[in-house]
Amino acid sequence: MKPSSREQANAAVREFLSRRDWSKQTPARQRILAAFLRLATTNGYGAVSMRTLSGELGLRPSSLYSSFPGGKDEIVAEALSWFTHRFGQDLLASLEEAENPEDYWAALVRFHLSQQLQRPEADLWDLLVATDRVGKFLSEETRVEVATWLRLHEAMFAAAAEEMGRSLPSQNIFMILTLLDGAARWASWDGSPDSLEKLLVNAVAVTRSILTTEIPAPAGIPQG
């Protein structure tokens, strides 16, 4: 039997995640990445230097360079990849109990919104990727990895839409992901589980309404 669209989308994500083996990452590198993400989400990316990072860890800057010879740029690239990998793994786990495309769609939305509200590094990931579009500070390898992940993530939404008998034009998926990525700016979450659940339920409803809305494409942008 041919795999469903959802199964194919999940398999593509698993294949993407398998390209890099994080099990061999040293504890020292993991500690540096965690400290970078913590400082950057708290104080802002621009406030983090090799000196401030070494101070946070109680290490000499030379010790950081022994783990990351490329300095801050290498740490940023590694942090982006590390977060992407963990996001992807946790996302797949959240989809395991989805028995139909409606549940799959809801799980995608609920996971994404939860991550944006509960993990500040999700906003940092978005910021770094957006900044690279202007400043081009990431390596080409990292840029390709980010682009591949975004395409695969979008394909998961498109797979659910297809199985629900809907197409998902590019402008609709852009609107949905922009809504979810910006959750920290519009969601009035008080930190309680009840408040979060209400936001998740509403987000699923809103994204489903966007899915079924015909939005005229801007001139020059094809439907897809």
Side-chain angles (χ1 to χ4, degrees):
M1 180 181 296
K2 181 181 178 181
S4 68
S5 296
R6 287 174 289 139
E7 290 171 335
Q8 292 180 58
N10 288 357
V13 170
R14 290 192 189 94
E15 192 280 327
F16 168 78
L17 296 177
S18 70
R19 296 176 190 175
R20 189 159 183 175
D21 182 9
W22 290 95
S23 65
K24 297 179 181 179
Q25 187 186 52
T26 66
R29 287 173 70 92
Q30 288 187 9
R31 185 167 171 244
I32 292 169
L33 292 177
F36 167 77
L37 290 170
R38 183 169 62 251
L39 282 177
T41 53
T42 301
N43 303 327
Y45 166 73
V48 183
S49 65
M50 295 298 277
R51 185 174 297 278
T52 59
L53 187 54
S54 63
E56 173 75 7
L57 291 163
L59 300 172
R60 294 180 179 180
S62 59
S63 297
L64 295 186
Y65 283 104
S66 67
S67 293
F68 290 96
K72 182 178 176 181
D73 287 347
E74 185 180 356
I75 292 174
V76 171
E78 189 90 339
L80 281 171
S81 296
W82 191 37
F83 178 81
T84 301
H85 186 84
R86 290 184 299 158
F87 186 101
Q89 283 190 318
D90 292 344
L91 175 57
L92 287 175
S94 75
L95 297 171
E96 287 180 353
E97 297 183 4
E99 298 181 352
N100 54 60
E102 290 78 12
D103 288 346
Y104 186 89
W105 179 277
L108 285 171
V109 173
R110 292 172 66 91
F111 178 83
H112 196 139
L113 185 63
S114 296
Q115 293 295 295
Q116 293 295 146
L117 294 177
Q118 297 178 307
R119 294 174 68 178
E121 60 265 39
D123 273 339
L124 175 64
W125 192 97
D126 295 334
L127 174 63
L128 292 174
V129 171
T131 301
D132 179 66
R133 292 192 182 107
V134 178
K136 303 296 182 184
F137 65 94
L138 295 174
S139 68
E140 184 61 24
E141 180 183 3
T142 301
R143 195 172 294 122
V144 169
E145 182 179 29
V146 167
T148 301
W149 165 249
L150 291 174
R151 177 178 56 79
L152 292 172
H153 194 200
E154 291 174 7
M156 299 175 95
F157 283 90
E162 178 185 332
E163 291 191 29
M164 288 189 285
R166 297 279 180 177
S167 63
L168 189 57
S170 57
Q171 65 270 22
N172 290 60
I173 185 62
F174 178 78
M175 183 179 293
I176 289 168
L177 292 178
T178 299
L179 174 73
L180 296 174
D181 287 340
R185 295 184 289 277
W186 58 260
S188 299
W189 182 41
D190 62 12
S192 70
D194 287 345
S195 175
L196 178 60
E197 180 59 26
K198 290 178 181 178
L199 287 169
L200 296 176
V201 170
N202 289 337
V204 172
V206 170
T207 57
R208 285 291 299 271
S209 70
I210 295 174
L211 171 63
T212 58
T213 299
E214 293 187 10
I215 304 172
I221 298 181
Q223 297 281 336

